[in-house]
Amino acid sequence: MTPRARALLLSGATTWRTKAEPAVGLRGLVMSDGPAGVRGETWDERNISVLLPSASALAATWDEALVEDLGGLLAAEARGKDVDVLLAPTLNLHRSPLGGRHFECFSEDPELTGRIGAAFIRGVQAHGVAATAKHYVANDSETDRLTVDVRVGERALREVYLAPFEAAVAAGVRLVMAGYNAVNGATMTASTLLTDPLKSEWGFDGVVVSDWGAVRATVGAALAGLDLAMPGPDGPWGEALARAAADGGAPAAAVDDKARRLLRLAAWLDALGGRDSPPEPPPPPPLPSPRPPTGPTASTAPTVLTAPAPPTAPTSPAPPTASTASTASTASTAPTAPTAPTASTTAPTPDERRGAGRPAAPAPAPTGSRAAPAPPETSALAAPAETSAVASPAGVRALARRAVAAGAVLLANRDLLPLDPERLGTVAVIGAHAARTRTQGGGSAGVFPQDEVSLLDGIRDALRGRAHVVHVPGPRPDGPAPPLDPDDCTDPRSGRPGVLLRVLDADGRELYAERRRGGRQLEPRLVPGAHTVEIGARLRPRTAGHWTLGVAGFGRMSLTLDGRTLLEGEFAPSTDDPAVVHVNPPARYATADLADGRDVLLVARRELAPGTGRATVVVAAPPAPDVTASLAEAARAARAADAAIVVVGTTEHGESEGHDRTGLALGATQDALVRAVTAANPRTVAVVNSGGPVELPWREETGAVLLAWFPGQEGGGGIADVLLGRAEPGGRLPTTWTAALADAPVTRTRPDGGRLDYAEGLHIGYRGWLRHQRTPAYWFGHGLGYTTWAYEELTVPPWTRAGDDLTVRVRVRNTGARRGREVVQVYLARPASALDRPTRWLAGYAAVRADPGETVTATVRVPARALRHWSVEEHAWRTEAGHWRALAGRSAGEVPLVADLEVVDASSA
């Protein structure tokens, strides 16, 4: 390749692809967001994906073998979608409970994050897909994330925030993503941290890729360790980098090293050798929908769609052409039919789309129906690296379901769980989250599962033929109006469930139309001349009264109801954060009085303009039910039942990429619901459906509290397994849960003057709680099973040499009546240290299983790194000699076994 070709190679070709270079037989590499699923290159609900539990739930398993299996499942999914690079795992930490993206991160602890993240990476990469450790580094909150300058001490940076990335490099991760933020004054895409320690000290030989749009300058990022600027084709590299390389502004050796790294990655992915890139994914086959010659309410003549144009970059619409930009857009509900329609095309099969770049592993099959898969205890996974991680749809679902139970954390149990199905005549399942369980968090990690098993469905399936299940929704949780759902609306042309999506030119002529499943359309397909996106739906209200209706997006938008304008205006973007512009744009609302059972036509339009994205979301919410009456109905149902299960949780905009939370409360109505149900029936289980900590002011009043997290597509089945005793709740908290936000040691996520000071240093999470001598609601590591354990003996060697690993043995006994699993945790302390240290910190863990009455010994390897500290004076790792202490127990706050240990200098041993 020429020097210019090498420089051009370092920018993306599209939003999700790297450049191909025929001169060396290099095909473009395809990337996709993660970590709960593999979406692929498009935001389209017809492109379905397996949806696993959130990253916080995976960390709660404390089970590296299971996480490896799940990584293998995602790799198989990626292979089936022609994806080379999975943009996961997220290795940022739960520094503050207010972090908006906690569900996508593993833990507050660097050791647990590093170990679970490494397992995820091993699982993905064992099947020929490259994993990406992100977001390097200290990108731990969302407020002003594009510009925030995180100020963090050298020691805390090394020991806490860089540690999970060091573990990822040791696990062989192929890519590291540089974040949007700055650290200590330098934006991460131009930071020296990309070379030291990442490439020099740690020996990372892979590719450093930017977060999407994070490169701000050509030469600064080129002189740093950044290797690949995404997305493309526009951006600060491309031709600008080629010119800088030609005139010496970007050293040729640096450009060559970047190109060499990208080629090394391509060789590992079998993307070198003259094979063609897989073609751009075509739109899914259109859903059949009769199409009239005019607007969305006209006749039922057969649809004739124009042939799909080649896809454009998913996240940014092309600017209007000169002709369309100068033409006023006139709202019209009945545009003329296209003058030259052609026959619709047939999308190729996945096998036809798959490129020849590497041997294809079978993809996991779609999630299928809601029939329960095999019991989770029997769904083991064992697949060689050359094959798919799972062999069948049932295997995919069983593994996802097993992960739900393995990560579910039983926070409290007052002899209520597990419920005995033989003693249940009626079960009351209460709460809006029971029927519409939140299975994933918001933001770029979102995917479209084929089917989602709600908690209500899972419980009904498990008790079918045994007990009567009654559902009462209770008061509506606080939160914005949701997108139109196919259960509530129909395509106005075909009458089938869903909405009618149309793209119009500047004169209001229809360029194409298709039926889509819901009101959230993030990437309407663009065709030449596209000027306006329109979503129309016939809404059938099931409740009369004052409805909230709205449209989300940016630019010029309007919303009409039966031809009457409800809102219209120009709505400029308030931020350039891609998560807001392209994934979660704010909605503008209007209200209207609707009659029960009388259809109305709702039509939303938005014009396409540079910088505004193309996401278009139509939302609708019925009048909220009377809170007092709803609580009374829930209490009556609970009182008449043998057991009650009340499900509460966060809402779609409560936990999402792009913004942090402002509080941890679930809201007054949800708290009142739990209290009303518990007062009516003491045999009440509260199930919490959230991705991160929330306040549980009623936690001492319920019979049991079970944390379900965002459980993925099989959430209902997996939680039902736990509730009814088919599986043990395997989860242990990866993050400390506060009783009230005011008690948490670290809460600040909002920068001051552009800076966010990590003034707490090493003391985040449970370390901060111990330092301030406060007691949280639930400690890091806490979680109950369905048996009890006695911690009997801790054995450590009398001394160890600095720099050596250490083996600790903990004897425990199952004192309950059921076989169970216990996660034995070992912490270290240095009571008389000359340094500022945490009171104790996690050094290792191991899980054991035992039958009733059986005694087992957990062997815990404590790596040498757990005893070392970073010397700011010497800029090097050091280990203090002297008296140390090992502690073992069930959580950071419950460590009944203590043993002394002497550490000696390596030179004097």
Side-chain angles (χ1 to χ4, degrees), residues 796-802 804-806 900-905 908-909:
V796 301
W799 65 273
T800 189
R801 184 171 48 201
D804 287 354
D805 292 348
L806 175 68
D900 292 328
L901 169 70
E902 193 74 17
V903 176
V904 300
D905 287 330
S908 61

Side-chain angles (χ1 to χ4, degrees), residues 150-172:
V150 173
R151 297 302 176 112
V152 56
E154 184 179 339
R155 187 170 166 220
L157 184 63
R158 282 286 192 149
E159 295 185 25
V160 179
Y161 298 100
L162 284 170
F165 291 93
E166 185 176 5
V169 172

Side-chain angles (χ1 to χ4, degrees), residues 162-536:
L162 284 170
F165 291 93
E166 185 176 5
V169 172
V173 73
R174 293 286 167 174
L175 295 95
V176 170
M177 181 188 290
Y180 291 114
N181 59 300
V183 172
N184 295 331
T187 185
M188 279 312 306
T189 52
S191 170
T192 57
L193 291 170
L194 299 181
T195 53
D196 184 21
L198 179 58
K199 291 182 175 180
S200 56
E201 179 184 327
W202 299 348
F204 176 63
D205 65 355
V207 171
V208 177
V209 60
S210 72
D211 204 340
W212 267 227
V215 179
R216 281 70 184 270
T218 301
V219 174
L223 294 175
L226 189 75
D227 302 312
L228 177 62
M230 292 295 287
D234 300 322
W237 273 16
E239 290 289 351
L241 181 60
R243 288 192 298 270
D247 63 21
V255 173
D256 288 351
D257 178 69
K258 300 174 195 301
R260 191 175 297 113
R261 288 170 178 271
L262 190 60
L263 292 172
R264 187 184 298 129
L265 172 64
W268 185 85
L269 290 165
D270 197 22
L272 282 172
R275 302 177 178 94
D276 293 334
S277 300
E280 294 276 357
L287 298 171
S289 175
R291 176 179 156 203
T294 54
T297 61
S299 72
T300 58
T303 300
V304 181
L305 300 181
T306 57
T312 57
T315 59
S316 221
T321 62
S323 59
T324 60
S326 62
T327 306
S329 173
T330 305
S332 167
T333 58
T336 8
T339 56
T342 61
S344 61
T345 60
T346 302
T349 66
D351 285 340
E352 292 168 336
R353 289 198 301 265
R354 182 178 290 121
R358 61 174 182 244
T367 54
S369 68
R370 293 191 178 188
E377 296 85 352
T378 65
S379 57
L381 179 73
E386 303 82 32
T387 65
S388 170
V390 278
S392 67
V396 173
R397 298 195 60 202
L399 179 58
R401 180 167 174 165
R402 179 160 68 98
V404 176
V409 182
L410 184 57
L411 296 173
N413 189 17
R414 297 170 182 86
D415 298 321
L416 177 56
L417 293 180
L419 299 172
D420 184 353
E422 302 303 322
R423 298 185 178 183
L424 298 175
T426 300
V427 175
V429 180
I430 297 169
H433 282 77
R436 292 184 180 269
T437 304
R438 192 172 179 205
T439 57
Q440 60 183 320
S444 61
V447 300
F448 299 99
Q450 174 171 311
D451 192 26
E452 296 171 284
V453 182
S454 70
L455 267 64
L456 177 61
D457 286 332
I459 293 164
R460 280 175 170 162
D461 286 344
L463 292 176
R464 186 167 285 114
R466 294 185 175 185
H468 179 53
V469 176
V470 176
H471 176 243
V472 175
R476 189 168 74 199
D478 299 333
L484 286 176
D485 187 275
D487 291 341
D488 303 319
C489 63
T490 57
D491 169 3
R493 290 184 177 172
S494 69
R496 300 181 64 188
V499 304
L500 179 65
L501 172 67
R502 300 200 305 155
V503 172
L504 314 175
D505 68 11
D507 296 321
R509 289 188 296 265
E510 182 178 292
L511 300 177
Y512 80 87
E514 58 186 356
R515 180 170 64 88
R516 299 294 290 267
R517 290 194 174 92
R520 187 171 183 249
Q521 298 299 321
L522 301 186
E523 289 181 354
R525 179 165 51 92
L526 296 184
V527 295
H531 181 274
T532 300
V533 173
E534 178 188 276
I535 297 176

Side-chain angles (χ1 to χ4, degrees), residues 475 625-633:
D626 180 77
V627 172
T628 302
S630 298
L631 293 175
E633 182 186 16

Side-chain angles (χ1 to χ4, degrees), residues 577-659:
D577 190 322
V580 178
V581 175
H582 304 299
V583 183
N584 288 319
R588 319 294 170 171
Y589 297 104
T591 58
D593 290 321
L594 304 182
D596 182 11
R598 181 182 174 276
D599 287 7
V600 291
L601 179 65
L602 192 64
V603 178
R605 284 188 171 184
R606 62 152 300 173
E607 294 181 7
L608 300 172
T612 64
R614 50 180 146 138
T616 310
V617 186
V618 185
V619 302
D626 180 77
V627 172
T628 302
S630 298
L631 293 175
E633 182 186 16
R636 283 194 299 272
R639 193 174 296 112
D642 298 298
I645 301 166
V646 58
V647 187
V648 292
T650 56
T651 60
E652 182 178 355
H653 291 266
E655 292 181 85
S656 178
E657 179 182 0
H659 60 82

Side-chain angles (χ1 to χ4, degrees), residues 518-575:
R520 187 171 183 249
Q521 298 299 321
L522 301 186
E523 289 181 354
R525 179 165 51 92
L526 296 184
V527 295
H531 181 274
T532 300
V533 173
E534 178 188 276
I535 297 176
R538 190 162 289 283
L539 178 66
R540 172 161 290 183
R542 301 176 188 177
T543 305
H546 214 50
W547 278 65
T548 299
L549 307 171
V551 57
F554 292 109
R556 184 163 187 78
M557 300 191 298
S558 66
L559 183 69
T560 65
L561 182 70
D562 285 339
R564 177 171 60 91
T565 299
L566 296 181
L567 64 85
E568 186 173 19
E570 185 82 27
F571 304 100
S574 55
T575 176

